Amino acid sequence: MSAFLNAAVATTATAVDPACAEPLPVLGRDVTVPLVTGGEVTYAALDYAASAPALQRVWDDVAAYAPYYGSVHRGAGYLSQLSTDLFEQSRVTVAEFLDCRPADQVIFTRSTTDSLNLLAAVLPAGCQVFVFETEHHASLLPWSNAQVTYLNAPRTPDEAVATLERALADREPYGPALVCVTGASNVTGELWPVKELAAAAHAHGARIVLDAAQLAPHHPVSVQDLDVDWVAFSGHKLYAPFGSGVLAGRADWLQQAEPYLAGGGASRKVARREDGGVDVEWHTTAARHEAGSPNVIGVYSIASACRALTEAGFDSLVARERHLIAKVREGLAEVPAVRVLSLFGDEAPRVGVISFVVDGWNSSHFAAALSAEYGIGVRDGLFCAHPLVRTLLGSEPQTQGECGAPEAAPGERSLNAIRVSFGAGTPDEHVDRFVRAVKELVADGAKWQYRTEEGRCVPAV
């Protein structure tokens, strides 16, 4: 391994004391934005559930590596060999971060969505898939080539387990089955009983994949402790927004299926036949599903983020995030017009993702005012989890609409919510400003006029 690679892997972060934890340094923490009411303010990025800012550590690691960038796996040159070492060491780092089993494979993809579509593509014939309607579209929609059972939204963790157990026990025929479940909701932030759901799946001969897109940035994820068969997550939610993702877990279904993409890198040997066709021998390693030139920068950034979060200490990160969650929830609870959305109730453990509606306000209008008048970035809409949000808002769960669009489709009710989300890089001032802004907007109304433009609420000029 090169000296550069050794230095990169050995880099350490300063330990964080839970008693006086500070936010981890992220890019954009000093960016200022203009306000429609005049002046500028430091931008409060409170949309981590969509894409988290890059950790400064990740950016520094990528910048240090960039001059050494080279194509991986088949190059004889020094930079190619160095990049190959870096790429494969990143695979080891991710496996350690997820506490994978020794025989598990770590496959690099573009995102959580890509990872779950990859898994959907390798399902054995006749596989049945069980998924709650509460899932993000990335884990709700990829299973069109399988027999899918959509499970109703549970109102308690115990109900979730019982619902899954009944569905699995009643399935016919009794063949291969897969359960797909989120670790933390991208709408409510609530933690799901993943370990109990995995036990239920395995007791009924099914496997389980964990969508950890919202869980991995906030909590440690152990494949072995949770006893899940696969886990998927995205770099851009893990403070590594460079277009890469991960699918990690059992190798057998992956090895037995045709490659997700056919091309260079996935093939070990290709030969012409006498009849004019070609014979292909595919890799049985992770390379089988990594055809083409991989996103080395994205992969390395994920590994850097994994190291940074591990070294910072999840105990400290979780404790600080709970402090921020309490601030937001207590502040919103003081505003009678605000209703926080929840499946499992106020006492349910959660990550820093909170969605709510405000009586008398269109959510797009409210989010626009937060941005234009306070420099606060949140998200409004249905958050690519339409059935869940519509269930929480009292709409029919099958109602369709555009992802994130504030306007209703013809014949629909106008339904959308506001989501505030934060994490390891969020300072107290951002959540304090958010709570103050909510209270002022509800009490006094917006200071500016707004109009609809291309389906969005924007300041009138």
Side-chain angles (χ1 to χ4, degrees):
M1 190 182 297
S2 70
F4 170 81
L5 182 59
N6 277 322
V9 172
T11 301
T12 57
T14 304
V16 180
D17 181 357
C20 56
E22 294 292 332
L24 298 185
V26 295
L27 294 186
R29 59 190 179 275
D30 298 323
V31 167
T32 60
V33 294
L35 302 179
V36 293
T37 51
E40 294 186 340
V41 66
T42 303
Y43 183 63
L46 296 179
D47 194 15
Y48 276 47
S51 284
L55 287 173
Q56 185 67 53
R57 157 76 175 273
V58 170
W59 185 259
D60 291 344
D61 282 353
V62 167
Y65 162 65
Y68 299 88
Y69 170 80
S71 183
V72 302
H73 292 147
R74 291 170 295 281
Y78 177 81
L79 297 191
S80 178
Q81 293 182 41
L82 183 148
S83 295
T84 298
D85 285 347
L86 200 74
F87 187 83
E88 293 304 329
Q89 180 59 45
S90 295
R91 203 185 305 274
V92 173
T93 298
V94 171
E96 292 172 347
F97 179 76
L98 295 174
D99 189 28
C100 289
R101 297 166 290 257
D104 284 344
Q105 287 188 346
V106 173
I107 297 174
F108 291 116
T109 66
R110 295 182 302 163
S111 60
T112 307
T113 301
D114 196 33
S115 296
L116 293 171
N117 275 271
L118 163 57
L119 186 60
V122 306
L123 295 180
C127 187
Q128 299 179 65
V129 176
F130 296 82
V131 57
F132 287 93
E133 68 172 354
T134 48
E135 293 292 309
H136 185 282
H137 294 172
S139 47
L140 186 74
L141 302 181
W143 320 106
S144 58
N145 291 328
Q147 178 184 334
V148 186
T149 298
Y150 296 104
L151 307 175
N152 291 336
R155 288 298 182 166
T156 67
D158 288 344
E159 184 184 340
V161 177
T163 298
L164 178 62
E165 287 180 330
R166 286 193 301 271
L168 291 172
D170 292 343
R171 81 183 194 271
E172 292 182 1
Y174 192 87
L178 177 71
V179 176
C180 181
V181 67
T182 189
S185 171
N186 78 303
V187 176
T188 68
E190 292 163 320
L191 300 180
W192 276 63
V194 176
K195 190 169 186 176
E196 293 79 5
L197 290 167
H202 294 152
H204 290 277
R207 297 190 181 189
I208 186 168
V209 57
L210 169 63
D211 175 351
Q214 299 296 341
L215 182 63
H218 303 273
H219 281 265
V221 175
S222 169
V223 168
Q224 297 193 67
D225 180 58
L226 295 172
D227 197 22
V228 294
D229 298 281
W230 293 277
V231 61
F233 70 88
S234 295
H236 73 98
K237 298 187 193 300
L238 196 78
Y239 311 101
F242 293 91
S244 196
V246 168
L247 177 68
R250 300 196 182 278
D252 53 351
W253 287 5
L254 295 162
Q255 292 173 346
Q256 294 160 11
E258 290 294 301
Y260 182 46
L261 297 173
S267 56
R268 291 185 61 192
K269 182 168 61 176
V270 180
R272 288 293 302 273
R273 297 195 305 265
E274 291 184 1
D275 65 4
V278 294
D279 288 322
V280 184
E281 180 182 338
W282 302 107
H283 280 293
T284 58
T285 63
R288 185 183 189 91
H289 298 290
E290 293 178 343
S293 296
N295 180 359
V296 183
I297 294 288
V299 165
Y300 182 46
S301 69
I302 286 181
S304 173
C306 289
R307 289 192 298 271
L309 293 175
T310 299
E311 292 160 7
F314 269 108
D315 286 349
S316 176
L317 296 176
V318 170
R320 186 171 188 282
E321 186 169 303
R322 286 174 179 163
H323 159 73
L324 296 179
I325 292 170
K327 275 195 169 194
V328 173
R329 288 179 59 81
E330 289 168 6
L332 294 180
E334 295 172 357
V335 186
V338 169
R339 177 167 71 92
V340 173
L341 305 184
S342 175
L343 271 177
F344 300 154
D346 289 344
E347 301 305 315
R350 65 194 70 231
V351 300
V353 179
I354 298 168
S355 296
F356 62 98
V357 291
V358 184
D359 290 345
W361 283 81
N362 175 280
S363 293
S364 179
H365 185 192
F366 201 89
L370 286 173
S371 174
E373 299 178 26
Y374 295 90
I376 298 170
V378 297
R379 188 154 295 244
D380 66 279
L382 300 176
F383 318 125
C384 291
H386 294 188
L388 171 57
V389 179
R390 292 182 182 281
T391 294
L392 295 173
L393 293 178
S395 177
E396 291 298 320
Q398 69 270 21
T399 303
Q400 297 179 358
E402 290 185 42
C403 188
E407 296 300 319
E412 292 184 13
R413 293 169 56 198
S414 179
L415 288 170
N416 58 319
I418 307 152
R419 184 181 69 191
V420 57
S421 54
F422 40 87
T426 305
D428 281 54
E429 189 276 328
H430 288 186
V431 298
D432 291 340
R433 192 195 320 170
F434 166 76
V435 170
R436 174 173 56 84
V438 170
K439 292 179 177 179
E440 290 181 1
L441 286 171
V442 171
D444 305 327
K447 300 181 181 69
W448 204 259
Q449 294 296 314
Y450 295 82
R451 60 185 175 84
T452 299
E453 180 178 292
E454 297 182 353
R456 299 295 308 169
C457 191
V458 298
V461 292

